[in-house]
Amino acid sequence: MKETRFNIDENRIKRRIMLNNRVRDLFSVVIVLVMAILLVLLYRIGKDSIGWLDLQFLTSNLSIFPEKAGIKGAIIGSLYMMLVVIPITLILGVATAIYLEEYANDGKVQRFIKINISNLASVPSVIFGLLGLTFFSRMLNLGSSILAGGLTMSLLVLPIVVVAAQEALKAVPSFLREASYGMGADKWTTIWRVILPVALPGILTGAILAMSRAIGETAPLVALGIPTLLMRIPNSLMDNFTVLPIQIYYWTLDSVLTREYTFLAAATIVVLLVTLFILNSIAIVIRNKFQKTF
Amino acid sequence: MKNNEIRDLIQHNIKNKSHFSDKAMPLFFLTMALISVLTTFGIVYTLVVDAFKFFANVPLSEVFSTRLQPLSANPSFGILPLLNGTILTTIIAMIVAVPVGMAAAIYLSQFASKKLRKMLKPILEILAGIPTIVYGFFAYSVVTPILMTLIPSLEPKNVLSPGLVMGIMIIPMVASLSEDAMNAVPSIMKDGATGLGSTKLETTFKVVIPAAISGIMSSIVLAISRAIGETMIVTIASGSSKRFTFDITQSMQTMTSYIVEFTSGDAGSGTVGYYSLYAVGLILFIFTLTMNLIAQYITKKYGERY
């Protein structure tokens, strides 16, 4: 009897271990496949953009001749839009986070705002486009100006900044707060002089991530009716504009008519991806270098 | 010396204590915080008001028909072709994203070494950070031509290619949310199973996944919501034919691409066609909101805390 107790079916164990290893290998193959797809994507975009992406491409206006076309207008448009998005989301986002973390006292208002923000974060971006179209473009008569686009985009990325700022504020240790109060500082002084400086790296990281989302987002701007062809470079917030993703959109759509537009779209994608990569790298550096740990 | 400085600072602080800022600041921050609430109300208000004008003009029997011809002389606004396009692309995306995302999540959280994990995680984050317009280009200019050599009857614009690419886009989301859920399972439980002689695979499927099921389910629900709301990939690669068919090699329109077509097109303000935009937007909003509420409910109700 004792023998049978330890006489475990070795074949069965072998089978179980083999199954374990097989499935593990299968899963790793799946991961390799995903990475391969990413590589194919980057390779194709890189290959298509070769010969098209040069200084002339970055500094020229749009043109009906693909060889002469450039994305100067789109680059300036994207920069202009950021001029609207950055201050608005920073002020609104940080203020909302300060209210939720520092002033609200776990009441219904706070819970309501929190639920609202998490739901807002999951509203499809094209719906924000409809809001912008109705409210900013038509009701406030901003048309498809930089201001209308920037305001729409600000509302879209607001939840990202709020959540990041909340996390950053939460991470500030309470002894700093207590020390500040202990020295007679009032609440606002404590927030402004003690808490915000400590939370700043986290807030900036969130702001940069929100920025990169805003730079790459297309749907809400298309919904605002950004014109297909833009001949003039914008020079005020009330001008019409185009941005990098919109340019990619139209060139991809029109590649049926003109084959070269595919290459122009690919070159624009490279510019967009490099921009996003730089922004994200900056965010990572800020996170790693300036984040204080207590 | 040091003590004196601190005493001065305290004196200074007390003297300068303004009661104004203690009253005004909370009010200021509350106002700022309410702007996000206002945004939600703005969305609901604009959608409901104009969608109401649409439903007042179009009988329900027409809304639930399969004929969508908003610009013809005898316009018809059946939403079924749009629903069909949305559901088909979402299903295809889920067929790609759920198994692959889960496999990635299981591999990362259970099998991969710490070092490998540190390498793979950023790659997933890169995938998640690529703008959807880039995936749209990928679907239309790369995936569709490849698929056309495999399926000769494939139309240049079709549902299959954007569906697949949308799935790829959603993989990181499913993977990282599910991985978080599986990592939250306490190691005592895993150690228990391992101690009883389970292989890693058995531990994963019999202990970890059942324990993390609420997180996994809510990640899938959120992924569905994301797929329903995704706009640029389908707009570029799936085209705008308003057919009601189940043939995924054909071009179809989703709710999101209908909105894009009509806002960037020339549907004049005040026409039924213009209001139909908001009706579709409202339905889309209700869909995604419901999905998110379901996801929140799952985590709240079935989420186990250890």
Side-chain angles (χ1 to χ4, degrees):
Chain A
M1 281 310 272
K2 245 187 179 170
E3 265 177 14
T4 48
R5 198 181 148 211
F6 288 104
N7 190 7
I8 302 170
D9 186 351
E10 276 191 21
N11 280 332
R12 185 154 177 265
I13 293 184
K14 265 187 199 151
R15 264 209 317 278
R16 285 168 56 202
I17 292 177
M18 215 169 71
L19 183 68
N20 177 66
N21 295 344
R22 286 284 144 78
V23 174
R24 186 194 60 207
D25 294 344
L26 177 73
F27 286 174
S28 52
V29 167
V30 167
I31 293 209
V32 170
L33 263 177
V34 172
M35 283 194 292
I37 292 172
L38 178 64
L39 283 180
V40 169
L41 170 66
L42 294 178
Y43 168 76
R44 277 299 301 260
I45 289 166
K47 200 185 103 193
D48 282 356
S49 69
I50 287 175
W52 295 88
L53 181 61
D54 50 21
L55 202 64
Q56 180 257 327
F57 179 69
L58 295 177
T59 54
S60 304
N61 295 330
L62 283 175
S63 159
I64 45 167
F65 305 107
E67 307 79 37
K68 286 188 186 162
I71 51 169
K72 185 180 166 198
I75 292 176
I76 292 176
S78 283
L79 288 177
Y80 257 116
M81 198 177 71
M82 287 305 115
L83 276 185
V84 179
V85 173
I86 295 171
I88 289 182
T89 46
L90 260 185
I91 293 172
L92 278 182
V94 175
T96 305
I98 290 178
Y99 176 76
L100 290 175
E101 292 303 317
E102 306 293 332
Y103 283 105
N105 36 6
D106 267 329
K108 272 185 187 156
V109 181
Q110 185 194 17
R111 248 206 342 260
F112 180 67
I113 294 176
K114 274 188 177 167
I115 291 173
N116 174 62
I117 286 170
S118 75
N119 280 327
L120 208 56
S122 55
V123 173
S125 57
V126 70
I127 302 270
F128 279 93
L130 277 184
L131 174 72
L133 177 74
T134 319
F135 190 66
F136 296 129
S137 289
R138 303 242 155 119
M139 267 162 82
L140 298 184
N141 236 334
L142 298 176
S144 22
S145 64
I146 295 172
L147 194 57
L151 289 171
T152 308
M153 208 54 106
S154 302
L155 295 180
L156 174 70
V157 298
L158 184 60
I160 303 176
V161 182
V162 173
V163 172
Q166 268 183 290
E167 294 299 323
L169 291 174
K170 260 186 214 156
V172 177
S174 56
F175 63 76
L176 288 180
R177 227 162 288 204
E178 283 148 16
S180 173
Y181 290 139
M183 295 183 73
D186 59 13
K187 192 157 191 168
W188 170 238
T189 312
T190 306
I191 291 173
W192 184 245
R193 302 283 291 273
V194 179
I195 296 174
L196 274 182
V198 178
L200 195 63
I203 292 173
L204 283 183
T205 311
I208 293 175
L209 292 181
M211 238 172 90
S212 54
R213 170 87 194 274
I215 288 181
E217 193 62 67
T218 324
L221 295 181
V222 176
L224 279 184
I226 306 282
T228 318
L229 271 181
L230 182 94
M231 294 309 181
R232 226 155 37 86
I233 302 290
N235 52 27
S236 91
L237 289 183
M238 296 312 292
D239 283 351
N240 285 353
F241 72 122
T242 186
V243 292
L244 292 171
I246 300 260
Q247 209 52 60
I248 298 169
Y249 172 55
Y250 287 121
W251 271 332
T252 310
L253 278 188
D254 291 346
S255 62
V256 193
L257 312 170
T258 316
R259 172 96 183 96
E260 285 84 1
Y261 281 165
T262 312
F263 308 130
L264 292 177
T268 315
I269 288 176
V270 173
V271 175
L272 180 64
L273 288 183
V274 168
T275 311
L276 296 183
F277 181 75
I278 294 172
L279 279 177
N280 285 322
S281 308
I282 295 173
I284 290 169
V285 168
I286 290 178
R287 192 165 62 190
N288 294 344
K289 275 248 162 92
F290 299 100
Q291 195 93 291
K292 282 187 198 153
T293 42
F294 293 92
Chain B
M1 186 60 195
K2 197 108 204 189
N3 277 340
N4 266 341
E5 272 177 19
I6 292 172
R7 190 171 306 142
D8 288 347
L9 185 62
I10 294 175
Q11 287 298 332
H12 175 84
N13 274 339
I14 292 172
K15 221 190 283 166
N16 279 24
K17 210 170 197 172
S18 75
H19 295 280
F20 174 72
S21 78
D22 269 358
K23 288 211 179 79
M25 281 304 167
L27 210 68
F28 168 72
F29 287 122
L30 177 63
T31 318
M32 292 287 126
L34 285 177
I35 288 183
S36 71
V37 179
L38 219 63
T39 308
T40 310
F41 277 116
I43 289 173
V44 174
Y45 178 79
T46 49
L47 290 180
V48 168
V49 167
D50 285 338
F52 183 77
K53 288 177 192 153
F54 171 78
F55 287 113
N57 277 309
V58 181
L60 274 183
S61 61
E62 187 183 317
V63 174
F64 288 104
S65 74
T66 58
R67 191 170 153 256
L68 178 63
Q69 281 162 344
L71 292 178
S72 78
N74 173 25
S76 167
F77 295 94
I79 196 165
L80 291 185
L82 299 181
L83 275 182
N84 187 46
T86 303
I87 291 171
L88 282 179
T89 44
T90 303
I91 290 175
I92 297 170
M94 286 303 119
I95 290 174
V96 175
V98 172
V100 176
M102 286 298 299
I106 292 172
Y107 187 80
L108 283 176
S109 74
Q110 309 297 324
F111 290 107
S113 65
K114 245 194 184 145
K115 222 172 146 190
L116 194 60
R117 235 182 103 182
K118 258 197 161 158
M119 268 170 52
L120 289 174
K121 270 282 220 183
I123 293 178
L124 279 184
E125 274 166 34
I126 292 177
L127 267 175
I130 295 177
T132 57
I133 183 77
V134 178
Y135 284 108
F137 173 86
F138 188 53
Y140 183 62
S141 306
V142 182
V143 175
T144 301
I146 294 175
L147 288 175
M148 275 170 123
T149 60
L150 301 173
I151 312 166
S153 65
L154 197 72
E155 292 181 14
K157 301 223 172 186
N158 58 78
V159 165
L160 181 62
S161 159
L164 293 175
V165 173
M166 207 149 83
I168 295 169
M169 181 197 78
I170 295 171
I171 289 170
M173 185 186 178
V174 177
S176 74
L177 289 177
S178 302
E179 198 215 340
D180 289 346
M182 286 193 254
N183 281 340
V185 176
S187 54
I188 309 173
M189 293 175 69
K190 283 189 261 181
D191 295 345
T194 315
L196 288 168
S198 309
T199 62
K200 270 201 170 151
L201 183 69
E202 288 158 354
T203 311
T204 304
F205 278 91
K206 291 181 179 159
V207 176
V208 178
I209 290 181
I213 195 71
S214 71
I216 294 170
M217 291 307 286
S218 76
S219 85
I220 293 172
V221 175
L222 287 177
I224 295 174
S225 153
R226 178 85 188 274
I228 292 174
E230 171 45 45
T231 311
M232 294 324 290
I233 302 177
V234 282
T235 305
I236 289 183
S238 169
S240 56
S241 45
K242 294 149 186 67
R243 276 182 284 208
F244 184 79
T245 159
F246 295 100
D247 182 359
I248 55 174
T249 63
Q250 291 189 2
S251 162
M252 283 176 228
Q253 192 165 40
T254 65
M255 293 193 279
T256 48
S257 48
Y258 180 82
I259 295 177
V260 167
E261 188 194 350
F262 272 81
T263 44
S264 49
D266 37 24
S269 179
T271 62
V272 180
Y274 176 73
Y275 293 133
S276 75
L277 211 73
Y278 293 87
V280 172
L282 182 65
I283 293 169
L284 185 65
F285 180 73
I286 292 172
F287 264 41
T288 51
L289 184 68
T290 315
M291 288 293 165
N292 289 305
L293 293 179
I294 290 174
Q296 281 167 21
Y297 177 79
I298 292 173
T299 12
K300 215 173 169 188
K301 175 108 193 201
Y302 300 101
E304 296 190 40
R305 274 169 248 283
Y306 298 99

